[in-house]
Amino acid sequence: MTTPQGESGTLELYLAQAESSGYLLYTWGGILGSLAVIPVLLTFFQGFRQETGPVLVVPVTFALVGVVFLTLGFMVDTGSAIEYFGPALAAAEGADAEIMLRAAELAQDSIEVAWAIGGVLAYGGPIVWMAILFFRAKRTPRWINWAGIVGGLAGFVWLVRFVPVPAPQAAGTVLIMINIVLVMVWLVGLSVVLVRSGEGMADSSD
């Protein structure tokens, strides 16, 4: 017969395993999702450079750098700094504890800065720049580019942690959702445009 303590221990083990599995899924999903953007950006560059001119290489390069930072951000556990300083924090007292806590917070911020840089570069400013350039491509519907501009501007929310401006957490969450959804719409929409234009060229050549 299972004791209450045994049931509690089993539940705690199950929750710990579920949390670990969820974290692994989140981490690898984020890494693979970030890396999947690389061929998409390179395809956009190849498909639109004739209409936008050589300047397109600049925002594409910045976005690729952002993907690298995002991938690094997913690879590093954002809680690792606090865990690393955990034993020292537990043993420290008084002023030493305060100094150690501040060091842990600074280390934590240095890890999370990869998220901020990666988010703004991969899904923020360069997206706005590319969407504006793509207005020159007549085959691109204007609403798709507007989705990229609005979504890219919302992407600057990734910097809010490092800006000393008080903002409701709910507002930040909404902006992040707008950023992710509209940028995905922009990426998928432009991909469809390239596929259709490629099919049209193939038909005309036949």
Side-chain angles (χ1 to χ4, degrees):
M1 180 176 180
T2 305
T3 62
Q5 291 85 353
E7 292 177 355
S8 176
T10 302
L11 178 60
E12 290 176 1
L13 178 61
Y14 173 78
L15 292 175
Q17 290 174 339
E19 183 179 359
S20 177
S21 300
Y23 176 74
L24 285 175
L25 180 62
Y26 168 78
T27 299
W28 282 105
I31 291 173
L32 295 176
S34 299
L35 294 177
V37 176
I38 294 177
V40 175
L41 291 173
L42 294 177
T43 302
F44 287 176
F45 174 73
Q46 185 68 23
F48 289 104
R49 63 178 178 172
Q50 297 293 336
E51 295 155 288
T52 62
V55 70
L56 181 61
V57 71
V58 181
V60 168
T61 300
F62 276 117
L64 291 173
V65 171
V67 169
V68 172
F69 275 100
L70 269 181
T71 303
L72 291 174
F74 278 110
M75 292 174 67
V76 179
D77 182 1
T78 55
S80 59
I82 300 298
E83 294 176 2
Y84 178 81
F85 281 90
L89 282 168
E93 296 181 357
D96 290 340
E98 194 171 329
I99 294 172
M100 193 68 66
L101 178 60
R102 182 56 181 158
E105 291 173 346
L106 288 173
Q108 184 72 27
D109 287 343
S110 69
I111 292 174
E112 293 189 359
V113 81
W115 286 90
I117 294 175
V120 171
L121 289 180
Y123 301 123
I127 298 297
V128 175
W129 192 349
M130 281 187 279
I132 292 173
L133 289 175
F134 290 160
F135 273 116
R136 301 177 185 177
K138 294 181 179 179
R139 54 184 164 152
T140 306
R142 297 178 68 85
W143 70 266
I144 292 180
N145 290 323
W146 278 115
I149 291 172
V150 175
L153 290 174
F156 284 95
V157 70
W158 296 100
L159 291 176
V160 72
R161 176 180 175 83
F162 305 98
V163 179
V165 177
Q169 185 175 358
T173 302
V174 170
L175 285 174
I176 289 174
M177 292 303 299
I178 291 174
N179 171 237
I180 293 174
V181 171
L182 290 185
V183 169
M184 289 301 107
V185 168
W186 181 75
L187 290 171
V188 173
L190 286 179
S191 299
V192 172
V193 168
L194 284 176
V195 170
R196 287 183 174 177
S197 61
E199 290 176 350
M201 291 179 183
D203 292 340
S204 62
S205 63
D206 294 341

